[in-house]
Amino acid sequence: GQSVILQPAGAVTYVWAGNKSLSCTNCTNPSATPDSTTTYYVAGTSGAGCINTDSVAVLVKRPFTMALQPIDTLCLGGTVQLVASGAEVYNWQPSTGLSNTDIGDPTASPGVTTTYTAIGTDTKKCFFDTAAVVVRVFPNPTVSFADTGVTILEGDKYRLVSTPSPDVINWQWSPPQGLSCTNCATPVAMPRETTTYSEKVYNQYGCSASAAFTVTVLCNEKSLFIPNTFSPNGDGMNDYFYPRGVGLYNVKSLRIFNRLGQIVFERVNFAANDISNAWDGKYKGAMQPSDVYVYVIEVICDNGTVLASKGNVTLLR
């Protein structure tokens, strides 16, 4: 919207290339009123009739409109990037929580809901515009456990119970292995091996908090049950001798000896709790007499623990 007088030197007469934004073309000092950046060309003639040319660029700053990208929810302690466009030079107010007040895209981490105003101009400060954006800061939920963990026997269950803040509306547990659910408040855990469960909770604003709880899984003699008496008399009650328990992956070996030290039963690599792999009180098809027998067993738990045990079992007829 402004004009500028062009001022060549070095010749006697001048002729400007035609341009509608010039006040004249066969004059020395035309007035230029361009509406955008324009280069003007001039030919100068000396008194001896020699000609040379030159040019001059007139930079034009135009009015502009500032624009700001909308902002999503910001949780306390988080950051969000502010993005302004349209201007060449920016200044943000207030400066609280901003990484830089003199760029178009600073990051903001306010502690409370804050309205940021961007003041934009061009490099010559010809025109100005402003735009504002509200960064709403929402509180984070909280969650915690009374203890850091618990110890259970393999095969046992434990309900995970934390203490969340009242604003919690969603839960997410990981890893999912051994859990009765992953999006409920108090899942039941029955892991096969020691596992640290992470609980992440969310409030209505999408803000989150997390806590961890370790379930240590033991496999010991309490996980294994071996009867001390059985009666293979065909009455359908306690007719077979076999190892039982929870959290048992495999019976590596089971050997049973009579009073003379002879092996009357031997089996390797079979499943516990399986009556089809039991001793029926026979040796080479012959029923063994009522007596006390010695067993030696080695069991592998689900978590890899190896249990070795030996004891006595009484065969009754």
Side-chain angles (χ1 to χ4, degrees):
Q2 293 179 332
S3 298
V4 62
I5 301 298
L6 305 183
Q7 301 181 27
V12 175
T13 61
Y14 302 90
V15 176
W16 295 85
N19 191 300
K20 64 181 181 179
S21 63
L22 287 178
S23 61
C24 60
T25 57
N26 294 314
C27 56
T28 300
N29 301 114
S31 174
T33 313
D35 57 6
S36 61
T37 296
T38 302
T39 300
Y40 296 99
Y41 299 90
V42 63
T45 303
S46 69
C50 298
I51 299 174
N52 205 346
T53 60
D54 203 353
S55 63
V56 60
V58 177
L59 306 181
V60 177
K61 299 299 182 181
R62 298 179 58 83
F64 60 88
T65 300
M66 285 269 293
L68 293 180
Q69 288 187 3
I71 301 298
D72 291 331
T73 297
L74 178 65
C75 299
L76 183 63
T79 61
V80 66
Q81 189 166 41
L82 308 181
V83 179
S85 59
E88 295 177 331
V89 179
Y90 301 92
N91 181 258
W92 292 86
Q93 299 294 336
S95 61
T96 305
L98 292 183
S99 61
N100 191 322
T101 59
D102 297 321
I103 59 175
D105 55 351
T107 57
S109 54
V112 295
T113 296
T114 303
T115 299
Y116 288 105
T117 300
I119 304 169
T121 186
D122 53 71
T123 56
K124 298 300 182 180
K125 300 188 183 302
C126 296
F127 301 96
F128 293 85
D129 193 21
T130 62
V133 63
V134 179
V135 178
R136 300 189 182 278
V137 179
F138 296 107
N140 292 311
T142 62
V143 64
S144 62
F145 289 94
D147 297 302
T148 58
V150 69
T151 299
I152 64 173
L153 288 178
E154 189 165 0
D156 287 351
K157 300 177 180 180
Y158 186 83
R159 184 174 293 277
L160 302 176
V161 180
S162 63
T163 303
S165 53
D167 59 338
V168 170
I169 59 172
N170 288 314
W171 295 261
Q172 188 63 48
W173 295 83
S174 64
Q177 288 78 16
L179 292 182
S180 61
C181 60
T182 58
N183 58 355
C184 57
T186 58
V188 174
M190 192 173 70
R192 297 175 63 177
E193 59 187 1
T194 297
T195 303
T196 297
Y197 289 105
S198 175
E199 179 188 17
K200 196 169 186 178
V201 298
Y202 299 85
N203 60 19
Q204 61 179 321
Y205 308 112
C207 301
S208 64
S210 59
F213 190 86
T214 299
V215 180
T216 301
V217 180
L218 297 181
C219 186
N220 55 30
E221 65 278 357
K222 295 181 180 179
S223 303
L224 178 65
F225 170 71
I226 301 178
N228 57 14
T229 304
F230 79 117
S231 55
N233 53 17
D235 64 356
M237 297 179 59
N238 200 26
D239 286 329
Y240 298 93
F241 173 79
Y242 61 99
R244 304 161 213 180
V246 293
L248 305 180
Y249 172 72
N250 185 50
V251 179
K252 189 175 181 181
S253 64
L254 172 62
R255 294 179 178 86
I256 302 175
F257 303 84
N258 62 17
R259 189 178 294 274
L260 300 177
Q262 295 175 309
I263 297 179
V264 295
F265 180 83
E266 182 176 20
R267 186 151 294 173
V268 297
N269 296 323
F270 64 96
N273 304 303
D274 185 1
I275 197 171
S276 66
N277 290 300
W279 183 38
D280 58 3
K282 297 179 182 179
Y283 175 59
K284 294 184 178 181
M287 292 187 295
Q288 297 302 292
S290 297
D291 205 344
V292 176
Y293 295 80
V294 175
Y295 67 83
V296 177
I297 189 171
E298 198 171 31
V299 179
I300 302 175
C301 299
D302 283 336
N303 64 1
T305 301
V306 178
L307 299 179
S309 180
K310 62 182 179 179
N312 300 325
V313 57
T314 301
L315 189 157
L316 299 176
R317 293 291 182 187

